[in-house]
Amino acid sequence: MTPSFGIRSLSALLLAGVALSPAARAESPPLPEVLFEPVLQVLPRTAEEAARIASVTALTEDFTKPERFEQNPGGAATTRARSDADAFSQSSENLSFEEEMDFKLGNGLFRKLWVSSPSSTRASDGLGPLYNARSCQRCHLKDGRGHPPEGPEDDAVSMFLRVSVPAHESQPMSEIEAFLLSLGDPMGEGARTRPDPTYGGQMQDFGIAGLPAEYRLGVSWREERVELAGGETASLRRPEWRADDLGYGPLAPGAMLSPRVAPQMLGLGLLEAIPAEDILSRVDPQDVDGDGISGRAQMVWSFEHERPALGRFGWKAGAPSVLEQSAAAFSGDIGISTPLFTQPWGDCTEAEAECRAAPHGDGDVRETEIDAAGLELVTFYSRNLAVPERRNVGDPQVLRGKEMFHAAGCTSCHTPKHVTHRLPGEVAQSFQLIWPYTDLLLHDMGEGLADNRPEGRASGREWKTPPLWGIGLTPQVNGHSHYLHDGRARSLLEAVLWHGGEAEASRQQVIDMAPADRAALIAFLEDL
């Protein structure tokens, strides 16, 4: 059985009772009760409260002034704006003194540099043996977003390649595959995948002394010109990603590679606290309402609770909770075992025998290389990285840009507002009006952004709507302006122009905007 941690995990808020929208209910298979059994104490909403929340979170029609509380996108957890690179590294403003101490301890573990075994620093050994980074902070520099390699000297430590191969018909179904099939959702033709038999599910570009790395990330760029209204132009760069210098032989036939940059860490606990009912109320897989938007919920297997759960975290919503996302990163990125993923060799496969046979860091009093208490602290830290306040929420150009954002239909996926669950004893995330600009659903983003690698219910063209809060501070925090799942966009305008599929109509509206309105839209995004 998977261990129980007794920590503030909201991974199964999905289990709190879900009412789908009429359109989604008409076209979606029924979801069994096992998904909705409460595993966490949550105060239910009264009908009066639900109506008030619906009114508060409704889309505005007044763009002459900021909405009430709009300056504080993280609710009471919002932190004051800073003008330095630490803008993403502040704690939720509504933590108690004792919780502040937990946050600081978690920060220390998040920044901790792990070393290979055996080592005299036995509390820090266990790195790898194959890995992408030596600490969480090395990928999420300043708790912000990663970037693609910028020249031959850049080791691309803040991004990596996921890899999988088509599953054979003879291979048994996983728990989540069997569950989805039971719902009448076979996941699409060819969507069942398995890790590469040699390289696993993630390519590691570093190895401890004497152990070759799995690969070196390679990329080629091709510029593409886009004509914009008003005589303006933009240039997009289309990447071709490669796994160069393979250290353990060729990839398996049919291997599918997907590049992923490390996302920013803001407001994760608040996203975790959004009621699943609110997320699932927006699903419309068959586009019954005819608006061109077909959001789908990602369903994943919760290793913590050993049952299906709603996916929320990761570029394709492959993790149900901050805890599971953190534990998976320890295993796959750093090669550190946790009580949830206990293999001391991380992602190494049986074909990588030297990796599995190398010394590991779990031979002393620790049962795993980071124990339950350490994982709890890192999870608490990750949940409570605060969203900075808006800086120019009342600026006329920003308000005009907000109007353009709404007019272009961007809010169909980037849902502006949510109200989190009432969580007894959980002040930081409890009953907060938040402005993350995401619906946390999967959307077809077109062939231009497709990685052609299915993940769970997500097809090779689908991605989770990423939250936009804090996105305008990326240059200040990380010193670059690279966006999207692989960092191909060099500006927010480029990121918008890469949208396709369900977002094609919105993209075209941005192309057709007058230059002043397009500039206002970017000013609005830069203020988030």
Side-chain angles (χ1 to χ4, degrees):
M1 293 291 290
T2 303
S4 175
F5 299 101
I7 64 177
R8 292 173 282 269
S9 175
L10 306 183
S11 64
L13 284 180
L14 170 63
L15 316 180
V18 174
L20 297 177
S21 66
R25 196 161 43 238
E27 295 294 332
S28 298
L31 298 174
E33 290 185 6
V34 66
L35 283 173
F36 312 130
E37 293 176 3
V39 296
L40 183 75
Q41 185 180 6
V42 174
L43 296 180
R45 292 174 177 173
T46 65
E48 179 182 0
E49 188 171 77
R52 184 158 54 94
I53 290 171
S55 176
V56 167
T57 57
L59 295 178
T60 185
E61 297 180 355
D62 182 3
F63 302 99
T64 62
K65 62 182 183 299
E67 296 175 68
R68 193 180 184 192
F69 308 122
E70 187 176 2
Q71 185 171 354
N72 296 324
T78 305
T79 190
R80 289 175 294 176
R82 297 173 63 105
S83 58
D84 59 19
D86 292 324
F88 291 172
S89 301
Q90 308 307 304
S91 61
S92 301
E93 285 289 331
N94 51 356
L95 292 183
S96 67
F97 177 78
E98 293 78 7
E99 289 172 328
E100 281 282 355
M101 294 301 297
D102 287 344
F103 180 86
K104 289 179 170 60
L105 289 170
N107 183 23
L109 289 170
F110 194 84
R111 298 167 62 92
K112 176 179 181 175
L113 291 174
W114 295 85
V115 298
S116 58
S117 301
S119 170
S120 59
T121 56
R122 298 183 68 186
S124 300
D125 68 351
L127 175 68
L130 297 173
Y131 61 96
N132 294 107
R134 291 183 57 198
S135 73
C136 307
Q137 184 75 205
R138 287 289 179 92
C139 285
H140 303 278
L141 185 62
K142 291 292 184 178
D143 306 296
R145 67 180 65 234
H147 62 84
E150 298 176 337
E153 302 302 319
D154 191 338
D155 57 14
V157 74
S158 60
M159 73 176 299
F160 59 79
L161 293 175
R162 291 211 183 280
V163 59
S164 56
V165 297
H168 296 298
E169 292 183 2
S170 60
Q171 290 177 305
M173 286 193 174
S174 66
E175 295 94 334
I176 193 63
E177 288 171 342
F179 169 74
L180 291 173
L181 186 62
S182 74
L183 297 182
D185 185 351
M187 301 170 61
E189 184 69 27
R192 290 183 62 223
T193 64
R194 291 293 182 270
D196 183 272
T198 298
Y199 291 94
Q202 179 172 324
M203 304 287 286
Q204 282 84 30
D205 48 359
F206 293 100
I208 62 173
L211 201 64
E214 289 187 325
Y215 83 119
R216 178 177 58 83
L217 181 63
V219 61
S220 301
W221 303 100
R222 187 175 75 250
E223 293 287 335
E224 299 179 359
R225 187 182 178 90
V226 179
E227 300 290 338
L228 307 174
E232 296 183 344
T233 62
S235 181
L236 306 183
R237 58 175 188 171
R238 183 181 297 274
E240 180 181 332
W241 297 99
R242 304 184 308 273
D244 292 337
D245 301 338
L246 293 171
Y248 297 86
L251 292 162
M256 299 168 282
L257 300 176
S258 180
R260 307 289 175 89
V261 297
Q264 64 186 31
M265 300 284 292
L266 298 180
L268 299 185
L270 294 168
L271 296 175
E272 194 176 45
I274 296 173
E277 177 180 0
D278 294 352
I279 297 170
L280 295 180
S281 70
R282 294 177 170 84
V283 303
D284 184 11
Q286 302 301 321
D287 190 22
V288 174
D289 60 11
D291 66 353
I293 306 301
S294 306
R296 298 198 306 144
Q298 176 71 288
M299 294 294 173
V300 301
W301 186 258
S302 169
F303 293 94
E304 181 185 4
H305 297 290
E306 296 187 324
R307 66 184 71 189
L310 175 67
R312 298 174 187 242
F313 300 103
W315 287 105
K316 296 207 177 194
S321 69
V322 179
L323 176 122
E324 294 201 35
Q325 179 81 345
S326 300
F330 268 116
S331 178
D333 299 354
I334 315 178
I336 296 296
S337 59
T338 69
L340 205 57
F341 303 112
T342 58
Q343 299 88 346
W345 48 75
D347 189 48
C348 293
T349 66
E350 292 183 1
E352 296 170 317
E354 291 185 7
C355 174
R356 291 201 172 193
H360 303 293
D362 60 349
D364 54 15
V365 294
R366 293 173 294 160
E367 293 184 3
T368 53
E369 290 163 333
I370 186 168
D371 59 16
L375 180 59
E376 176 180 352
L377 288 168
V378 171
T379 303
F380 184 79
Y381 171 76
S382 300
R383 283 196 181 113
N384 284 286
L385 284 162
V387 182
E389 65 182 345
R390 297 270 302 276
R391 283 80 59 205
N392 301 297
V393 67
D395 182 270
Q397 186 186 35
V398 170
L399 288 170
R400 177 61 174 170
K402 177 183 175 183
E403 184 177 6
M404 293 298 97
F405 187 86
H406 282 243
C410 303
T411 56
S412 296
C413 300
H414 290 283
T415 306
K417 294 172 281 185
H418 298 270
V419 173
T420 62
H421 263 301
R422 286 191 183 274
L423 305 170
E426 302 294 329
V427 174
Q429 283 85 41
S430 180
F431 205 58
Q432 300 296 324
L433 172 62
I434 62 174
W435 305 69
Y437 286 89
T438 178
D439 58 8
L440 295 177
L441 296 177
L442 300 170
H443 294 278
D444 183 339
M445 296 301 294
E447 194 59 37
L449 285 178
D451 66 350
N452 299 309
R453 176 184 175 271
E455 182 177 325
R457 295 187 82 200
S459 73
R461 292 166 53 107
E462 287 181 312
W463 299 93
K464 183 200 75 180
T465 307
L468 297 181
W469 51 14
I471 194 169
L473 291 173
T474 300
Q476 173 185 314
V477 171
N478 294 122
H480 67 75
S481 55
H482 295 298
Y483 306 100
L484 302 177
H485 67 281
D486 57 3
R488 69 177 66 187
R490 296 160 294 189
S491 69
L492 291 170
L493 178 59
E494 286 188 31
V496 172
L497 294 176
W498 271 111
H499 284 50
E502 296 175 41
E504 179 61 37
S506 295
R507 173 184 182 270
Q508 191 59 49
Q509 288 200 49
V510 173
I511 290 175
D512 294 340
M513 283 180 186
D517 287 341
R518 198 161 44 240
L521 172 67
I522 300 305
F524 166 68
L525 295 175
E526 289 174 342
D527 190 56
L528 292 181

